[in-house]
PDB file of all heavy atoms in Angstrom:
ATOM      1  N   THR E 187     -15.622  -4.164   6.862  1.00 93.00           N
ATOM      2  CA  THR E 187     -16.078  -3.846   8.198  1.00 93.00           C
ATOM      3  C   THR E 187     -14.910  -3.430   9.146  1.00 93.00           C
ATOM      4  O   THR E 187     -15.053  -2.335   9.891  1.00 93.00           O
ATOM      5  CB  THR E 187     -16.788  -5.018   8.890  1.00 93.00           C
ATOM      6  OG1 THR E 187     -17.923  -5.441   7.991  1.00 93.00           O
ATOM      7  CG2 THR E 187     -17.325  -4.693  10.217  1.00 93.00           C
ATOM      8  N   VAL E 188     -13.842  -4.135   9.120  1.00 93.00           N
ATOM      9  CA  VAL E 188     -12.706  -3.842   9.951  1.00 93.00           C
ATOM     10  C   VAL E 188     -12.107  -2.460   9.573  1.00 93.00           C
ATOM     11  O   VAL E 188     -11.867  -1.730  10.406  1.00 93.00           O
ATOM     12  CB  VAL E 188     -11.690  -4.995   9.943  1.00 93.00           C
ATOM     13  CG1 VAL E 188     -10.309  -4.556  10.661  1.00 93.00           C
ATOM     14  CG2 VAL E 188     -12.254  -6.293  10.527  1.00 93.00           C
ATOM     15  N   LEU E 189     -11.894  -2.349   8.296  1.00 95.00           N
ATOM     16  CA  LEU E 189     -11.159  -0.982   7.922  1.00 95.00           C
ATOM     17  C   LEU E 189     -12.178   0.137   8.209  1.00 95.00           C
ATOM     18  O   LEU E 189     -11.683   1.181   8.391  1.00 95.00           O
ATOM     19  CB  LEU E 189     -10.822  -1.180   6.386  1.00 95.00           C
ATOM     20  CG  LEU E 189      -9.435  -1.491   6.139  1.00 95.00           C
ATOM     21  CD1 LEU E 189      -8.485  -0.547   6.603  1.00 95.00           C
ATOM     22  CD2 LEU E 189      -9.009  -2.899   6.723  1.00 95.00           C
ATOM     23  N   SER E 190     -13.475   0.021   8.016  1.00 94.00           N
ATOM     24  CA  SER E 190     -14.283   1.065   8.339  1.00 94.00           C
ATOM     25  C   SER E 190     -14.109   1.632   9.685  1.00 94.00           C
ATOM     26  O   SER E 190     -14.242   2.821  10.100  1.00 94.00           O
ATOM     27  CB  SER E 190     -15.692   0.687   7.972  1.00 94.00           C
ATOM     28  OG  SER E 190     -16.156  -0.256   8.889  1.00 94.00           O
ATOM     29  N   LYS E 191     -13.948   0.668  10.627  1.00 91.00           N
ATOM     30  CA  LYS E 191     -13.678   1.041  12.043  1.00 91.00           C
ATOM     31  C   LYS E 191     -12.437   1.708  12.284  1.00 91.00           C
ATOM     32  O   LYS E 191     -12.217   2.722  12.974  1.00 91.00           O
ATOM     33  CB  LYS E 191     -13.808  -0.212  12.942  1.00 91.00           C
ATOM     34  CG  LYS E 191     -15.071  -0.856  12.932  1.00 91.00           C
ATOM     35  CD  LYS E 191     -15.156  -2.161  13.784  1.00 91.00           C
ATOM     36  CE  LYS E 191     -16.474  -2.808  13.801  1.00 91.00           C
ATOM     37  NZ  LYS E 191     -16.525  -4.043  14.588  1.00 91.00           N
ATOM     38  N   GLN E 192     -11.309   1.271  11.501  1.00 91.00           N
ATOM     39  CA  GLN E 192      -9.953   1.829  11.680  1.00 91.00           C
ATOM     40  C   GLN E 192      -9.996   3.322  11.065  1.00 91.00           C
ATOM     41  O   GLN E 192      -9.473   4.165  11.586  1.00 91.00           O
ATOM     42  CB  GLN E 192      -8.909   1.016  10.898  1.00 91.00           C
ATOM     43  CG  GLN E 192      -8.915  -0.498  11.385  1.00 91.00           C
ATOM     44  CD  GLN E 192      -8.967  -0.612  12.892  1.00 91.00           C
ATOM     45  OE1 GLN E 192      -8.104  -0.017  13.518  1.00 91.00           O
ATOM     46  NE2 GLN E 192      -9.640  -1.599  13.483  1.00 91.00           N
ATOM     47  N   MET E 193     -10.700   3.388   9.944  1.00 94.00           N
ATOM     48  CA  MET E 193     -10.689   4.711   9.132  1.00 94.00           C
ATOM     49  C   MET E 193     -11.622   5.720  10.005  1.00 94.00           C
ATOM     50  O   MET E 193     -11.330   6.998   9.870  1.00 94.00           O
ATOM     51  CB  MET E 193     -11.231   4.543   7.765  1.00 94.00           C
ATOM     52  CG  MET E 193     -10.242   3.650   6.966  1.00 94.00           C
ATOM     53  SD  MET E 193     -11.242   3.014   5.474  1.00 94.00           S
ATOM     54  CE  MET E 193     -10.965   4.651   4.331  1.00 94.00           C
ATOM     55  N   SER E 194     -12.512   5.292  10.844  1.00 91.00           N
ATOM     56  CA  SER E 194     -13.379   6.195  11.563  1.00 91.00           C
ATOM     57  C   SER E 194     -12.673   6.586  12.852  1.00 91.00           C
ATOM     58  O   SER E 194     -13.014   7.455  13.602  1.00 91.00           O
ATOM     59  CB  SER E 194     -14.637   5.528  11.995  1.00 91.00           C
ATOM     60  OG  SER E 194     -15.396   5.231  10.785  1.00 91.00           O
ATOM     61  N   ARG E 195     -11.621   5.952  13.195  1.00 86.00           N
ATOM     62  CA  ARG E 195     -10.694   6.155  14.415  1.00 86.00           C
ATOM     63  C   ARG E 195     -11.538   6.156  15.662  1.00 86.00           C
ATOM     64  O   ARG E 195     -11.251   6.782  16.631  1.00 86.00           O
ATOM     65  CB  ARG E 195     -10.036   7.545  14.363  1.00 86.00           C
ATOM     66  CG  ARG E 195      -9.331   7.957  12.956  1.00 86.00           C
ATOM     67  CD  ARG E 195      -7.985   7.151  12.903  1.00 86.00           C
ATOM     68  NE  ARG E 195      -7.361   7.944  11.787  1.00 86.00           N
ATOM     69  CZ  ARG E 195      -7.414   7.652  10.514  1.00 86.00           C
ATOM     70  NH1 ARG E 195      -8.024   6.547  10.152  1.00 86.00           N
ATOM     71  NH2 ARG E 195      -6.642   8.061   9.612  1.00 86.00           N
ATOM     72  N   GLY E 196     -12.576   5.293  15.726  1.00 78.00           N
ATOM     73  CA  GLY E 196     -13.362   5.275  16.878  1.00 78.00           C
ATOM     74  C   GLY E 196     -14.316   6.490  17.160  1.00 78.00           C
ATOM     75  O   GLY E 196     -14.717   6.652  18.277  1.00 78.00           O
ATOM     76  N   ASP E 197     -14.395   7.346  16.159  1.00 84.00           N
ATOM     77  CA  ASP E 197     -15.161   8.509  16.324  1.00 84.00           C
ATOM     78  C   ASP E 197     -16.443   8.430  15.662  1.00 84.00           C
ATOM     79  O   ASP E 197     -16.596   8.130  14.400  1.00 84.00           O
ATOM     80  CB  ASP E 197     -14.337   9.747  15.712  1.00 84.00           C
ATOM     81  CG  ASP E 197     -15.022  11.104  15.984  1.00 84.00           C
ATOM     82  OD1 ASP E 197     -16.023  11.304  15.406  1.00 84.00           O
ATOM     83  OD2 ASP E 197     -14.392  11.912  16.765  1.00 84.00           O
ATOM     84  N   GLU E 198     -17.527   8.698  16.316  1.00 86.00           N
ATOM     85  CA  GLU E 198     -18.921   8.453  15.825  1.00 86.00           C
ATOM     86  C   GLU E 198     -19.198   9.542  14.603  1.00 86.00           C
ATOM     87  O   GLU E 198     -19.923   9.054  13.656  1.00 86.00           O
ATOM     88  CB  GLU E 198     -19.952   8.655  16.901  1.00 86.00           C
ATOM     89  CG  GLU E 198     -20.096   7.530  17.939  1.00 86.00           C
ATOM     90  CD  GLU E 198     -20.444   6.189  17.214  1.00 86.00           C
ATOM     91  OE1 GLU E 198     -21.313   6.234  16.371  1.00 86.00           O
ATOM     92  OE2 GLU E 198     -19.678   5.230  17.508  1.00 86.00           O
ATOM     93  N   GLY E 199     -18.656  10.699  14.797  1.00 91.00           N
ATOM     94  CA  GLY E 199     -18.888  11.657  13.582  1.00 91.00           C
ATOM     95  C   GLY E 199     -18.224  11.124  12.396  1.00 91.00           C
ATOM     96  O   GLY E 199     -18.738  11.347  11.404  1.00 91.00           O
ATOM     97  N   LYS E 200     -16.980  10.797  12.529  1.00 91.00           N
ATOM     98  CA  LYS E 200     -16.195  10.246  11.309  1.00 91.00           C
ATOM     99  C   LYS E 200     -16.893   9.069  10.806  1.00 91.00           C
ATOM    100  O   LYS E 200     -16.832   8.837   9.531  1.00 91.00           O
ATOM    101  CB  LYS E 200     -14.773  10.014  11.729  1.00 91.00           C
ATOM    102  CG  LYS E 200     -13.978  11.313  12.090  1.00 91.00           C
ATOM    103  CD  LYS E 200     -12.518  10.933  12.390  1.00 91.00           C
ATOM    104  CE  LYS E 200     -11.684  12.256  12.705  1.00 91.00           C
ATOM    105  NZ  LYS E 200     -10.266  11.921  12.987  1.00 91.00           N
ATOM    106  N   ARG E 201     -17.402   8.243  11.599  1.00 90.00           N
ATOM    107  CA  ARG E 201     -18.029   6.878  11.160  1.00 90.00           C
ATOM    108  C   ARG E 201     -19.292   7.377  10.311  1.00 90.00           C
ATOM    109  O   ARG E 201     -19.489   6.738   9.217  1.00 90.00           O
ATOM    110  CB  ARG E 201     -18.452   6.148  12.393  1.00 90.00           C
ATOM    111  CG  ARG E 201     -19.037   4.848  11.870  1.00 90.00           C
ATOM    112  CD  ARG E 201     -19.748   4.186  13.054  1.00 90.00           C
ATOM    113  NE  ARG E 201     -20.735   4.844  13.713  1.00 90.00           N
ATOM    114  CZ  ARG E 201     -22.042   4.904  13.296  1.00 90.00           C
ATOM    115  NH1 ARG E 201     -22.318   4.348  12.104  1.00 90.00           N
ATOM    116  NH2 ARG E 201     -22.994   5.563  13.846  1.00 90.00           N
ATOM    117  N   ALA E 202     -20.059   8.187  10.674  1.00 92.00           N
ATOM    118  CA  ALA E 202     -21.207   8.662  10.068  1.00 92.00           C
ATOM    119  C   ALA E 202     -20.840   9.379   8.715  1.00 92.00           C
ATOM    120  O   ALA E 202     -21.482   9.069   7.588  1.00 92.00           O
ATOM    121  CB  ALA E 202     -22.079   9.763  10.779  1.00 92.00           C
ATOM    122  N   ASN E 203     -19.812  10.085   8.565  1.00 93.00           N
ATOM    123  CA  ASN E 203     -19.252  10.685   7.371  1.00 93.00           C
ATOM    124  C   ASN E 203     -18.846   9.630   6.366  1.00 93.00           C
ATOM    125  O   ASN E 203     -19.103   9.737   5.114  1.00 93.00           O
ATOM    126  CB  ASN E 203     -18.096  11.718   7.666  1.00 93.00           C
ATOM    127  CG  ASN E 203     -18.677  12.986   8.313  1.00 93.00           C
ATOM    128  OD1 ASN E 203     -19.797  13.421   8.205  1.00 93.00           O
ATOM    129  ND2 ASN E 203     -17.796  13.651   9.182  1.00 93.00           N
ATOM    130  N   LEU E 204     -18.129   8.634   6.878  1.00 94.00           N
ATOM    131  CA  LEU E 204     -17.638   7.600   6.059  1.00 94.00           C
ATOM    132  C   LEU E 204     -18.844   6.687   5.506  1.00 94.00           C
ATOM    133  O   LEU E 204     -18.702   6.265   4.344  1.00 94.00           O
ATOM    134  CB  LEU E 204     -16.794   6.700   6.908  1.00 94.00           C
ATOM    135  CG  LEU E 204     -15.908   5.695   6.138  1.00 94.00           C
ATOM    136  CD1 LEU E 204     -14.909   6.416   5.293  1.00 94.00           C
ATOM    137  CD2 LEU E 204     -15.224   4.693   6.990  1.00 94.00           C
ATOM    138  N   GLU E 205     -19.822   6.597   6.344  1.00 93.00           N
ATOM    139  CA  GLU E 205     -21.036   5.795   5.806  1.00 93.00           C
ATOM    140  C   GLU E 205     -21.700   6.606   4.630  1.00 93.00           C
ATOM    141  O   GLU E 205     -22.165   5.914   3.770  1.00 93.00           O
ATOM    142  CB  GLU E 205     -21.993   5.572   6.896  1.00 93.00           C
ATOM    143  CG  GLU E 205     -21.433   4.499   7.941  1.00 93.00           C
ATOM    144  CD  GLU E 205     -22.437   4.253   9.143  1.00 93.00           C
ATOM    145  OE1 GLU E 205     -23.395   5.037   9.065  1.00 93.00           O
ATOM    146  OE2 GLU E 205     -22.044   3.505   9.986  1.00 93.00           O
ATOM    147  N   ARG E 206     -21.640   7.856   4.708  1.00 93.00           N
ATOM    148  CA  ARG E 206     -22.288   8.679   3.627  1.00 93.00           C
ATOM    149  C   ARG E 206     -21.404   8.667   2.376  1.00 93.00           C
ATOM    150  O   ARG E 206     -21.924   8.630   1.235  1.00 93.00           O
ATOM    151  CB  ARG E 206     -22.464  10.080   4.141  1.00 93.00           C
ATOM    152  CG  ARG E 206     -23.682  10.226   5.090  1.00 93.00           C
ATOM    153  CD  ARG E 206     -23.994  11.707   5.363  1.00 93.00           C
ATOM    154  NE  ARG E 206     -22.959  12.533   5.951  1.00 93.00           N
ATOM    155  CZ  ARG E 206     -22.856  12.585   7.344  1.00 93.00           C
ATOM    156  NH1 ARG E 206     -23.816  12.131   8.045  1.00 93.00           N
ATOM    157  NH2 ARG E 206     -21.929  13.394   7.801  1.00 93.00           N
ATOM    158  N   SER E 207     -20.111   8.786   2.572  1.00 93.00           N
ATOM    159  CA  SER E 207     -19.295   8.888   1.355  1.00 93.00           C
ATOM    160  C   SER E 207     -18.729   7.562   0.762  1.00 93.00           C
ATOM    161  O   SER E 207     -18.411   7.563  -0.372  1.00 93.00           O
ATOM    162  CB  SER E 207     -18.021   9.729   1.748  1.00 93.00           C
ATOM    163  OG  SER E 207     -17.155   9.068   2.806  1.00 93.00           O
ATOM    164  N   GLY E 208     -18.792   6.477   1.682  1.00 95.00           N
ATOM    165  CA  GLY E 208     -18.141   5.188   1.249  1.00 95.00           C
ATOM    166  C   GLY E 208     -16.678   5.402   1.262  1.00 95.00           C
ATOM    167  O   GLY E 208     -16.099   6.347   1.630  1.00 95.00           O
TER     168      GLY E 208
END
Side-chain angles (χ1 to χ4, degrees):
T187 300
V188 171
L189 261 298
S190 68
K191 297 176 181 178
Q192 310 307 319
M193 298 168 77
S194 300
R195 314 279 196 270
D197 185 288
E198 288 299 314
K200 291 181 178 180
R201 181 189 63 78
N203 289 334
L204 191 67
E205 290 176 359
R206 285 193 294 268
S207 66

